[in-house]
Amino acid sequence: MRFNKQELTTLATQPSQKFDKEGVLFLRERQEGFFRRSERKDNKRGKRSKSLRELSCYSGPSKVSLERWCRLRGNLLFYFKSREQWSEPLGVIILEQCSIKVDSPSVEGPYGFHLVFDGGLSQHLAAYSQGERDAWLQAIQLASYECMRSQLLALQQRMELRRGHDPHLDIHMWRIRHGHSVDPSELPLCEISLACDNLLCDGHGRSPNPVLAVHVFIPSERVWMKYGKTEVVERSSNPCFLNTISFRASDGLGTDTRVRLTAFDVREHVSQTAIPIGSAIVTLGKIQEADRLRIPLQSASGTTVGFLSISVWNLEPEDKGGSTESTPCRSVPEHEVSAQVYSHRRSQSLPPRLGTRMKLPNQGHLPQLFASPYVQTYRFHSGLGGDICVHELMAESRLCFQFPQQLLALWIQEEKELLQEVAGMGELREPWHSRQVELLDRHLQLLHLYSQAKENLAVHRGSFFKPSSRKNDRTLEFAPVNLHLQRMWVQNDTLRKSGFYDIITVGAFTAHSHKSKNGGLIKLLQQLKESPSKQNSNLQGPTKISMAHDAIQAIKQLRREVVDGMRALMKLAKEKQTAGMLPICEDMITKTRILLSLWDPGLVEEALSFIEEHKVAQPIVNESAEGEDGLCSLELHQQQQQTLSPYRRITQQLNFDLKSPDIDDLVTPDTPQCTRTFWNIPTSNSSAKMCSTNSADKEGGTSQSNRDSQFIIFPDAEEDIDREANELKEKENDDSGVENEENIHSNEASGTDETKQMILPNGYDSDIGRRFLDTQVMCSSPSANYYKPTDEPEPWDLTQLNIEASVMCLVSKVKFLCGRCGSPAVRLRSSQRGVGRSRSFRSGLSTKEVKDSETTKTESVVTVQPTSNTPLSNGKDGNSQTESICSSSKAKSESDKVNSEDSLGFNASMSSDDVLNKTVDTVQKAVNGATNRNGATVRNKFTEGLDFASIVDWTCELRPSMRKLRQAMDGLLKTARLTHSVFRVQEDSRIAQRACNVRYRRDVCFSQSLTSLVTGLMAKLWCQKPDPTFLLVLTTLGPLVSFEGLLSYYGDEIDMWGDMTVAVEDLVTVKFTLTRSPNNCRSGSQQQEAGQPQLPAPRVTGSRTALTVLLPVPDAVYSMLPLSHPGADTVSFNITPVYFNIGINEMATLAESLGSTRPQEKSNVDNFDRLNEYYHRFRKLNIPADMAGHRGQSCAPLQMNLGDLVEKLRQAVHTRQSKNVQVLHLSSHICRRMKGLRFTSCKSAKDRTGMSVTLEQCQILVTEYDLAEHEFRRALDCMRSEGSRRENTNKNTGVRKYAFNSLQLLTLPKEYRPPAGTYGSAQT
């Protein structure tokens, strides 16, 4: 602590009447503290000696207390050198942040007590008598500043309550007590603008610093409640305040409510010390009746100290009368003609035009998506004397904690898939066993982290935003920091123009809790790319892993599209409409061709060889015995647990069943215990299961409704199904349940014997009642897409042949139903590719078959089928032609099964390899036999014997073929997943762990960025009137999204900048789809009347690398969307994000002086190139530039051309200039001109963000609404001192001050400096 010794000495020696108490006290000296005084030891004689002044003392063990003359003044306790009054002052004790501890009474010695300070130090004092000690204790307790402050506050409260005013009750506290929040769409009773004139000056002739406080009287509580206040106007006796006050009926106000307006003179800005000048009381009804009031201000003594002018506006809804949204309104309503008089302001206390009815903005469905709105209103003066009405709103997003949970659920599901992939490989031998276990452990750890984060977000209660004080809290790290909607609505009635301007303010997208100065995600990803070149070349690099992963995602996407095609075919087949069937088939053929060409056969062969070489042989589990009770015996489990390998211990502890790939009862905690049979796989001859060619199995007692219900929901298909299909399903739901059970029983009757006859090592030894998973619970990855640990992988050639034959069969039947049964047959793959793919397949082909296949070059569709000796009994039984290869009929007789097996040459004594080769030969002959050497059609045996007249239900003919195609695609995905897991096990463990850490950090940042982006899109689509220009840009180009950063490229903020750069870049990969909102949303007021507003929740689908966000839109927006083609239900788009960052604080000054901002400058240049490319595409839309509104015979000056703005931005990003904030201003202006979305962020989106947002809002008022130049600084200071951003600091830290100190203030650019009294010591 700093002090002036001479001043303290003077203060200590003043007369006694200026001191609260004085007298003699024993002061114990300490080694450390106010004195350094103790006994000294004579070095020569080894004796202790004392000075004369130490004789009057008492001592304990090694402690000495001396008599001192002490004097107490305020919180300063002075002590002197001796007990005499005229002695010299020796020291002072500051009586703050201390407590008193009284010593226990003792017979000998004075009466003592301790002063214990907060830092742990203590000072012992003592008096001669108990009475003297008690007097000192009472004086010391009342001496501290905290005690005096509490006394002052208590007295103030008593005085205010005596006067009928509660100092702690303001409108915000009153609303919290009553559980009421502001509805921005509520029409206020009136809005008033205030001005004063002729205010008295002080005794020195200086004008006051006036501020007006508005109180309303609450009769129920008999107190005056603070309702609002204006900004402080510096040194003016005739102030005109920019803040306005809106009176709302929802706050309990009426025409008889008394309103008190008090003027104060602010003497000191930091502590807001002010003295009252005068006040006036008026009823709200009187204010509403008049357009303008001028009433005297009276002091406490009753004298007039000035006059108060009240200008009153009555508001009406924005959409009432002529529209002023975004564009000028050319027609003038008749009732406003008399008011269209353009005049300059007569004085600062008079409004330019009296009796004007101003508009209230239409906020759309804002209460449904945002909570805790804070509204502030202003009236600024334009260049021609008119008024600019401004409504500023800040609200919390309800999606802040809800949306990241969907992303976490998706990532949890992906980790489960990867975990099941590795477990499905089976146990490997060393050295791969340890790597396999390590990989399983890594996925289990990620599952725990994601699941815990999701649970923490789900149980969060309280506000809908994450305060900056919790940015380091790992429990909420996936939620963005301080996410708010900052909205400004502006109306200039003179220009007849109004509009919304939204900015999403959010903290930097970074993992605050991951403390590491490593450059953020940019540097981490660069190190990850460079690391494989430094490792052993024999270890598996990430190239094959990424290839395998990309192929899996492509297979899943193509399979989903093929399933959609099947659904469309089934819908047409129900209605027996041939139109449109053939194009769907051609599209399915194209997609299956791509499916067959995705994988490099060499990679598959490499993976299968690895499995064959290193897999530990495992005994086949007797599933039939286990199925009796569904669970293994507990005793056997405990015995095996003693000898299990680490791999088996991990896989047996998983919360889902890895042994069964066809049914999954416990994949997620959300899966219902009783899974409905969405897809029954009929059991049949296992050899036919291997072939998986399409067949038209006979389903005797199964109705159409049951078959439709089996088809409607596919694994990996979209959750939302066509409304028509749902309606049909609901109508026929009663019959489907009974016949579903019959279907299962028929499976049991027909398939039991066949299953016992032959079991093949390809994963299709299915037991009774196997079924696919419910996709609405299991997100698009059923366990049927994984091999079991005991499975033998299916040969790659056979998998491709199954897909080829299944598509041929399906397309052939579709053509038959369309009347084109003689269509030529076409191969899906070129023959050169068909032969020579794997060793096992090449060995099974004859030379003649190879030559025949090499000559096949046809490019149209065929459906071919191997010959059969089975006769046809009727039209439907003709499907048994296909059953001769793939017998899967549920009601087939035993003789038919024997005939089909004989036709293929199968017998029970054949080995599995013999069956495999025989099946491959048969299928290849069937495929090749469809065409001759010249490509001419021989015959189409898939449709031979079918009688078109006898076919009543088309869906019965198509459904079995679709089922077989689905099973064949599942086999393809199984092999792809197996290959992927092999390459992942071979990856270097250190690189894999580093990649896992980077991916987790990237997920944290991406969750924050995507949540913020979805908030901005939903605000644009739901919370204002539809903008046709924005919707045009949305559906043609996708919107431009401009992120403005204020981070300094120094210290910890380098990591934040690197994280945010990658998080913004990752948004490019997200696909957004607009869908019609399922519920017809009502307005915000109606929702509040009905109860809690229903949230129109966006949904996330897809995978980590191909996310799709489904955005519901209201009917008003949906009806304006230009759909891509007739019949389309959705519109999809991608965004174009740009991120410009310029540091503005003292750390940015240091970084620029060190010359370390080069990466930031390069990033700004790269983002400009992206913005420039988007501008050239935007220019081709030929959207007319926004012109300034007309103003009588004169026009506002035209805005700068968009092309010129882009050119200025190009020059700015290439100019090396200290704190070049012009880059931020130009980029934000360009973004608004191209109908883009705006985001602003700094470390916590509180202080620097508040300065930037208010500056941008005032720049909009200048460029688009003609704000007077001399009013710019006043408007800027008013928004920063009384606007919503100061409330944001209070919500985050509990202090209504921006966290800038004097040093930071000097380094900020001038336009980013807050006004006096709004900044100071606060939490950063």
Side-chain angles (χ1 to χ4, degrees):
M1 151 176 237
R2 295 182 179 180
F3 60 91
N4 188 304
K5 181 179 179 180
Q6 187 62 40
E7 288 183 356
L8 285 177
T9 302
T10 304
L11 187 63
T13 55
Q14 289 185 354
S16 298
Q17 60 266 24
K18 293 189 177 183
F19 287 87
D20 301 323
K21 184 171 179 57
E22 54 186 2
V24 177
L25 287 174
F26 288 92
L27 199 70
R28 180 173 296 174
E29 298 186 358
R30 304 179 303 120
Q31 294 292 336
E32 67 286 346
F34 304 98
F35 313 95
R36 296 192 59 85
R37 190 168 188 80
S38 64
E39 300 180 57
R40 62 183 179 86
K41 188 175 182 180
D42 194 318
N43 294 331
K44 295 181 180 180
R45 301 179 182 178
K47 298 180 180 180
R48 296 181 182 271
S49 61
K50 296 182 179 180
S51 63
L52 292 176
R53 290 181 298 179
E54 295 174 347
L55 295 178
S56 179
C57 68
Y58 76 94
S59 63
S62 71
K63 294 182 181 178
V64 179
S65 294
L66 303 177
E67 279 187 301
R68 306 288 188 189
W69 179 255
C70 297
R71 310 182 78 185
L72 177 64
R73 181 171 183 177
N75 59 353
L76 301 178
L77 178 61
F78 296 97
Y79 55 90
F80 293 72
K81 286 186 177 182
S82 68
R83 65 189 312 277
E84 304 299 333
Q85 301 183 20
W86 55 84
S87 60
E88 182 183 351
L90 187 62
V92 63
I93 300 175
I94 312 297
L95 301 177
E96 291 295 338
Q97 299 179 353
C98 64
S99 59
I100 299 176
K101 182 180 178 182
V102 181
D103 294 348
S104 57
S106 60
V107 179
E108 48 184 59
Y111 296 86
F113 58 93
H114 281 83
L115 297 178
V116 182
F117 294 88
D118 290 350
L121 299 178
S122 65
Q123 175 65 55
H124 186 269
L125 302 170
Y128 278 111
S129 64
Q130 182 177 357
E132 185 71 13
R133 182 187 64 181
D134 293 342
W136 275 105
L137 289 179
Q138 183 179 4
I140 292 175
Q141 287 175 346
L142 297 175
S144 68
Y145 174 77
E146 289 298 328
C147 179
M148 296 173 63
R149 178 178 175 81
S150 61
Q151 287 181 336
L152 175 64
L153 293 177
L155 291 173
Q156 286 180 342
Q157 190 168 7
R158 289 176 60 185
M159 291 175 59
E160 295 293 344
L161 290 175
R162 181 69 63 89
R163 295 189 305 173
H165 174 67
D166 186 355
H168 300 295
L169 182 63
D170 59 3
I171 184 58
H172 303 294
M173 184 60 65
W174 187 88
R175 288 168 180 164
I176 292 174
R177 289 180 184 178
H178 292 76
H180 169 66
S181 61
V182 176
D183 182 7
S185 302
E186 178 190 358
L187 195 66
L189 298 175
C190 64
E191 181 181 339
I192 62 173
S193 177
L194 301 171
C196 295
D197 60 276
N198 298 317
L199 295 179
L200 294 181
C201 300
D202 61 5
H204 301 283
R206 290 177 297 191
S207 300
N209 300 322
V211 61
L212 281 177
V214 180
H215 294 78
V216 295
F217 186 73
I218 305 299
S220 59
E221 301 185 19
R222 302 182 62 84
V223 294
W224 287 92
M225 178 179 65
K226 186 177 181 180
Y227 199 78
K229 75 182 191 71
T230 65
E231 77 279 9
V232 179
V233 179
E234 296 289 335
R235 297 300 175 192
S236 176
S237 294
N238 301 293
C240 182
F241 300 99
L242 303 179
N243 262 11
T244 62
I245 309 295
S246 297
F247 295 98
R248 300 177 180 273
S250 59
D251 293 329
L253 305 184
T255 55
D256 56 345
T257 300
R258 290 193 294 165
V259 180
R260 184 176 69 192
L261 302 102
T262 307
F264 291 90
D265 179 13
V266 178
R267 295 297 178 91
E268 204 276 318
H269 288 282
V270 176
S271 62
Q272 292 293 306
T273 302
I275 61 173
I277 299 176
S279 63
I281 297 179
V282 64
T283 62
L284 187 58
K286 186 176 180 181
I287 294 176
Q288 288 181 276
E289 292 173 359
D291 293 333
R292 179 176 176 272
L293 285 177
R294 188 170 185 267
I295 53 180
L297 288 172
Q298 293 188 346
S299 64
S301 60
T303 60
T304 301
V305 292
F307 293 91
L308 173 67
S309 298
I310 306 175
S311 302
V312 186
W313 281 270
N314 294 312
L315 282 74
E316 64 182 16
E318 182 188 12
D319 48 3
K320 183 178 180 180
S323 173
T324 59
E325 175 69 23
S326 300
T327 55
C329 179
R330 297 179 182 275
S331 60
V332 181
E334 294 182 0
H335 67 277
E336 291 187 1
V337 172
S338 59
Q340 303 296 323
V341 180
Y342 304 102
S343 60
H344 289 278
R345 184 179 295 275
R346 289 176 290 172
S347 72
Q348 284 191 324
S349 62
L350 295 178
R353 294 158 59 196
L354 302 179
T356 303
R357 297 186 68 86
M358 305 304 290
K359 301 291 183 180
L360 179 73
N362 178 15
Q363 304 280 359
H365 302 275
L366 185 86
Q368 294 175 265
L369 287 162
F370 295 91
S372 305
Y374 180 88
V375 182
Q376 190 64 269
T377 56
Y378 312 91
R379 298 278 175 176
F380 300 131
H381 308 313
S382 65
L384 289 182
D387 275 337
I388 303 173
C389 173
V390 176
H391 287 228
E392 187 185 29
L393 179 142
M394 181 185 68
E396 306 166 8
S397 172
R398 296 182 184 271
L399 300 175
C400 180
F401 299 104
Q402 184 265 345
F403 188 79
Q405 296 180 46
Q406 298 190 45
L407 287 174
L408 285 166
L410 188 144
W411 292 330
I412 289 171
Q413 183 58 42
E414 184 169 325
E415 290 303 319
K416 288 181 178 179
E417 292 179 10
L418 295 173
L419 186 64
Q420 199 163 352
E421 271 186 18
V422 181
M425 296 171 60
E427 187 175 356
L428 302 178
R429 297 186 180 92
E430 288 293 353
W432 305 109
H433 180 271
S434 58
R435 291 196 181 184
Q436 186 183 23
V437 172
E438 185 178 351
L439 192 57
L440 289 171
D441 282 334
R442 193 177 300 127
H443 287 305
L444 288 173
Q445 176 66 15
L446 282 176
L447 269 175
H448 171 72
L449 291 175
Y450 288 136
S451 301
Q452 190 64 45
K454 183 174 181 291
E455 181 182 353
N456 292 334
L457 291 172
V459 301
H460 174 77
R461 296 294 180 269
S463 59
F464 289 93
F465 80 107
K466 176 182 171 183
S468 62
S469 56
R470 297 190 65 181
K471 59 177 175 286
N472 292 320
D473 188 355
R474 293 207 66 167
T475 60
L476 302 176
E477 63 182 348
F478 285 88
V481 176
N482 197 13
L483 176 63
H484 282 82
L485 168 67
Q486 180 75 24
R487 164 169 287 189
M488 182 177 69
W489 180 81
V490 192
Q491 178 194 7
N492 188 330
D493 197 58
T494 305
L495 299 178
R496 303 177 196 168
K497 180 180 179 181
S498 64
F500 280 104
Y501 300 90
D502 290 352
I503 303 174
I504 303 297
T505 60
V506 61
F509 309 138
T510 182
H512 287 281
S513 57
H514 300 194
K515 297 292 186 181
S516 58
K517 294 185 178 181
N518 49 24
L521 280 172
I522 285 186
K523 290 292 181 63
L524 292 175
L525 291 173
Q526 289 175 353
Q527 294 171 4
L528 209 58
K529 290 180 180 179
E530 297 169 357
S531 57
S533 61
K534 302 177 183 178
Q535 303 296 330
N536 189 352
S537 59
N538 295 329
L539 298 176
Q540 184 62 46
T543 305
K544 292 182 180 179
I545 298 175
S546 59
M547 289 173 57
H549 180 266
D550 294 343
I552 289 174
Q553 300 305 321
I555 289 173
K556 291 174 66 176
Q557 176 65 26
L558 287 170
R559 190 178 59 164
R560 188 178 296 110
E561 294 174 0
V562 171
V563 168
D564 291 339
M566 287 194 246
R567 182 180 291 113
L569 277 178
M570 185 61 71
K571 184 178 179 182
L572 294 174
K574 287 179 184 177
E575 303 170 358
K576 295 187 178 181
Q577 294 182 1
T578 58
M581 279 191 170
L582 294 180
I584 294 176
C585 290
E586 295 293 339
D587 184 60
M588 291 176 62
I589 292 167
T590 303
K591 288 181 169 56
T592 49
R593 280 182 179 146
I594 299 174
L595 266 178
L596 298 177
S597 62
L598 278 175
W599 274 92
D600 181 7
L603 294 179
V604 181
E605 289 295 334
E606 180 183 345
L608 297 182
S609 301
F610 177 87
I611 291 293
E612 184 178 356
E613 180 180 357
H614 298 286
K615 185 175 180 180
V616 176
Q618 297 181 4
I620 298 178
V621 181
N622 189 357
E623 295 185 2
S624 60
E626 182 182 347
E628 294 176 0
D629 56 359
L631 295 172
C632 295
S633 65
L634 182 61
E635 294 80 1
L636 180 61
H637 176 73
Q638 291 175 348
Q639 292 175 5
Q640 292 177 349
Q641 194 71 19
Q642 304 297 329
T643 59
L644 287 180
S645 65
Y647 163 81
R648 295 196 179 185
R649 286 198 188 97
I650 292 176
T651 54
Q652 288 198 4
Q653 291 172 1
L654 299 181
N655 63 341
F656 50 87
D657 181 14
L658 294 177
K659 296 183 297 182
S660 173
D662 292 329
I663 182 172
D664 206 338
D665 294 332
L666 297 172
V667 173
T668 61
D670 301 328
T671 306
Q673 295 180 356
C674 182
T675 307
R676 182 185 170 190
T677 307
F678 284 103
W679 190 286
N680 292 328
I681 303 179
T683 57
S684 63
N685 192 321
S686 300
S687 60
K689 286 276 185 179
M690 277 194 55
C691 178
S692 291
T693 29
N694 218 335
S695 64
D697 55 345
K698 180 180 178 181
E699 300 175 344
T702 307
S703 67
Q704 177 181 353
S705 63
N706 184 35
R707 294 167 181 173
D708 294 348
S709 68
Q710 290 181 0
F711 175 78
I712 283 175
I713 299 181
F714 277 93
D716 288 13
E718 296 293 340
E719 294 179 13
D720 49 339
I721 305 169
D722 296 336
R723 289 197 179 104
E724 295 81 5
N726 275 334
E727 292 173 359
L728 288 173
K729 183 179 176 182
E730 291 173 0
K731 291 178 182 177
E732 301 167 349
N733 193 24
D734 296 333
D735 299 331
S736 63
V738 178
E739 293 173 348
N740 228 3
E741 298 178 359
E742 297 175 0
N743 202 8
I744 297 176
H745 293 318
S746 66
N747 284 343
E748 295 176 2
S750 63
T752 305
D753 294 337
E754 295 178 0
T755 306
K756 292 180 180 179
Q757 289 178 3
M758 202 174 303
I759 297 178
L760 296 183
N762 65 344
Y764 282 104
D765 52 336
S766 60
D767 56 353
I768 299 172
R770 294 282 175 85
R771 62 186 77 96
F772 283 88
L773 217 47
D774 182 0
T775 55
Q776 301 205 12
V777 179
M778 276 299 300
C779 200
S780 84
S781 43
S783 60
N785 301 328
Y786 305 92
Y787 282 117
K788 294 188 295 185
T790 57
D791 283 346
E792 187 74 20
E794 185 179 65
W796 185 245
D797 314 89
L798 184 58
T799 301
Q800 294 185 317
L801 273 178
N802 288 339
I803 294 177
E804 187 176 43
S806 302
V807 174
M808 287 180 176
C809 182
L810 176 61
V811 174
S812 176
K813 290 182 180 180
V814 171
K815 288 199 171 187
F816 176 82
L817 295 175
C818 294
R820 295 178 56 184
C821 54
S823 301
V826 173
R827 300 293 304 277
L828 293 181
R829 297 173 286 140
S830 63
S831 298
Q832 292 85 347
R833 180 177 176 81
V835 175
R837 255 192 312 254
S838 76
R839 299 185 298 271
S840 62
F841 185 57
R842 284 199 300 270
S843 62
L845 291 180
S846 63
T847 306
K848 184 177 183 301
E849 291 167 349
V850 172
K851 291 181 178 179
D852 291 343
S853 63
E854 286 176 350
T855 58
T856 305
K857 302 291 182 183
T858 329
E859 290 298 333
S860 57
V861 159
V862 242
T863 56
V864 249
Q865 156 136 9
T867 58
S868 174
N869 298 327
T870 307
L872 300 176
S873 59
N874 53 41
K876 289 187 179 182
D877 290 339
N879 297 341
S880 59
Q881 294 273 348
T882 309
E883 293 160 7
S884 61
I885 291 180
C886 302
S887 62
S888 59
S889 173
K890 297 184 181 70
K892 193 173 184 181
S893 64
E894 291 297 328
S895 60
D896 290 337
K897 289 182 283 182
V898 171
N899 290 337
S900 64
E901 291 180 10
D902 292 342
S903 65
L904 289 171
F906 292 148
N907 56 68
S909 62
M910 294 177 63
S911 66
S912 59
D913 293 336
D914 296 335
V915 173
L916 173 63
N917 294 331
K918 186 69 176 176
T919 305
V920 171
D921 291 342
T922 305
V923 174
Q924 186 65 23
K925 289 177 182 179
V927 174
N928 291 337
T931 56
N932 61 7
R933 297 175 184 270
N934 298 325
T937 303
V938 179
R939 55 180 175 170
N940 194 335
K941 295 191 176 181
F942 284 119
T943 57
E944 275 188 2
L946 291 180
D947 184 7
F948 184 80
S950 63
I951 299 177
V952 179
D953 188 359
W954 290 11
T955 58
C956 292
E957 302 297 331
L958 299 181
R959 189 177 295 106
S961 305
M962 294 179 178
R963 182 182 296 112
K964 288 301 178 183
L965 176 57
R966 180 51 200 254
Q967 292 173 1
M969 291 189 295
D970 287 346
L972 178 68
L973 186 56
K974 283 183 181 181
T975 307
R977 290 189 184 278
L978 182 65
T979 306
H980 182 228
S981 59
V982 167
F983 294 150
R984 291 178 62 238
V985 169
Q986 295 175 354
E987 186 181 16
D988 179 73
S989 58
R990 290 173 298 177
I991 298 177
Q993 183 62 49
R994 193 183 308 165
C996 176
N997 297 337
V998 172
R999 187 177 67 191
Y1000 182 82
R1001 180 171 185 149
R1002 194 171 186 175
D1003 288 343
V1004 171
C1005 302
F1006 177 73
S1007 172
Q1008 298 175 9
S1009 63
L1010 185 59
T1011 303
S1012 305
L1013 175 59
V1014 170
T1015 297
L1017 287 170
M1018 294 294 286
K1020 190 74 173 178
L1021 295 170
W1022 282 86
C1023 302
Q1024 63 186 68
K1025 293 174 64 177
D1027 185 356
T1029 307
F1030 172 75
L1031 295 178
L1032 174 64
V1033 174
L1034 185 82
T1035 54
T1036 53
L1037 302 178
L1040 176 71
V1041 181
S1042 175
F1043 291 88
E1044 174 185 309
L1046 300 165
L1047 298 171
S1048 302
Y1049 199 79
Y1050 187 85
D1052 293 339
E1053 295 192 6
I1054 295 181
D1055 291 353
M1056 300 179 193
W1057 176 84
D1059 288 349
M1060 187 163 179
T1061 302
V1062 175
V1064 170
E1065 188 70 25
D1066 286 344
L1067 296 174
V1068 178
T1069 62
V1070 182
K1071 177 183 177 183
F1072 296 90
T1073 300
L1074 303 181
T1075 60
R1076 184 190 293 268
S1077 179
N1079 51 349
N1080 206 359
C1081 298
R1082 297 166 289 178
S1083 64
S1085 58
Q1086 292 174 338
Q1087 288 281 354
Q1088 286 188 350
E1089 292 173 4
Q1092 181 68 21
Q1094 185 174 1
L1095 176 66
R1099 292 189 298 114
V1100 183
T1101 61
S1103 62
R1104 186 190 301 268
T1105 56
L1107 279 179
T1108 299
V1109 179
L1110 304 177
L1111 299 175
V1113 295
D1115 291 339
V1117 174
Y1118 190 84
S1119 60
M1120 300 176 65
L1121 293 177
L1123 299 179
S1124 56
H1125 58 273
D1129 294 330
T1130 60
V1131 175
S1132 298
F1133 63 91
N1134 292 82
I1135 67 159
T1136 302
V1138 292
Y1139 175 45
F1140 294 96
N1141 185 84
I1142 299 292
I1144 61 173
N1145 63 359
E1146 79 284 359
M1147 307 306 292
T1149 304
L1150 185 58
E1152 290 175 349
S1153 63
L1154 296 175
S1156 60
T1157 59
R1158 183 62 183 168
Q1160 171 188 290
E1161 296 168 1
K1162 184 179 183 302
S1163 174
N1164 289 342
V1165 172
D1166 294 340
N1167 280 275
F1168 167 75
D1169 293 338
R1170 177 180 293 178
L1171 185 144
N1172 189 38
E1173 187 271 336
Y1174 182 89
Y1175 160 68
H1176 287 293
R1177 290 189 290 131
F1178 177 84
R1179 191 172 55 179
K1180 295 178 181 178
L1181 296 179
N1182 295 322
I1183 297 177
D1186 293 335
M1187 302 292 290
H1190 293 286
R1191 246 186 346 220
Q1193 297 181 353
S1194 62
C1195 251
L1198 294 178
Q1199 298 182 20
M1200 185 178 294
N1201 186 20
L1202 186 57
D1204 297 337
L1205 289 173
V1206 174
E1207 177 61 24
K1208 287 188 66 176
L1209 180 60
R1210 186 193 67 79
Q1211 297 174 4
V1213 297
H1214 287 90
T1215 302
R1216 301 205 62 174
Q1217 179 182 344
S1218 176
K1219 298 182 181 178
N1220 190 8
V1221 293
Q1222 192 68 16
V1223 172
L1224 305 179
H1225 302 164
L1226 289 171
S1227 63
S1228 61
H1229 194 182
I1230 293 171
C1231 178
R1232 289 194 305 270
R1233 291 285 294 273
M1234 291 197 287
K1235 301 298 180 181
L1237 303 179
R1238 281 281 298 110
F1239 293 77
T1240 300
S1241 65
C1242 59
K1243 181 168 68 174
S1244 57
K1246 182 168 55 68
D1247 306 307
R1248 285 172 282 179
T1249 298
M1251 300 300 100
S1252 175
V1253 164
T1254 50
L1255 177 62
E1256 183 173 345
Q1257 290 179 163
C1258 287
Q1259 288 174 340
I1260 292 173
L1261 296 178
V1262 171
T1263 56
E1264 301 188 25
Y1265 292 91
D1266 200 23
L1267 177 67
E1269 293 183 4
H1270 64 277
E1271 292 285 334
F1272 176 80
R1273 191 68 210 185
R1274 276 196 64 202
L1276 185 60
D1277 289 345
C1278 179
M1279 282 188 167
R1280 288 174 176 173
S1281 62
E1282 305 301 327
S1284 59
R1285 298 316 302 181
R1286 198 168 177 192
E1287 176 65 19
N1288 183 268
T1289 64
N1290 186 43
K1291 291 172 66 174
N1292 280 274
T1293 63
V1295 180
R1296 288 182 57 88
K1297 288 187 178 182
Y1298 302 109
F1300 297 124
N1301 55 38
S1302 56
L1303 174 62
Q1304 292 173 321
L1305 201 69
L1306 294 176
T1307 58
L1308 291 175
K1310 288 185 178 180
E1311 59 266 36
Y1312 288 88
R1313 297 177 184 175
T1318 61
Y1319 61 91
S1321 177
Q1323 182 180 356
T1324 60

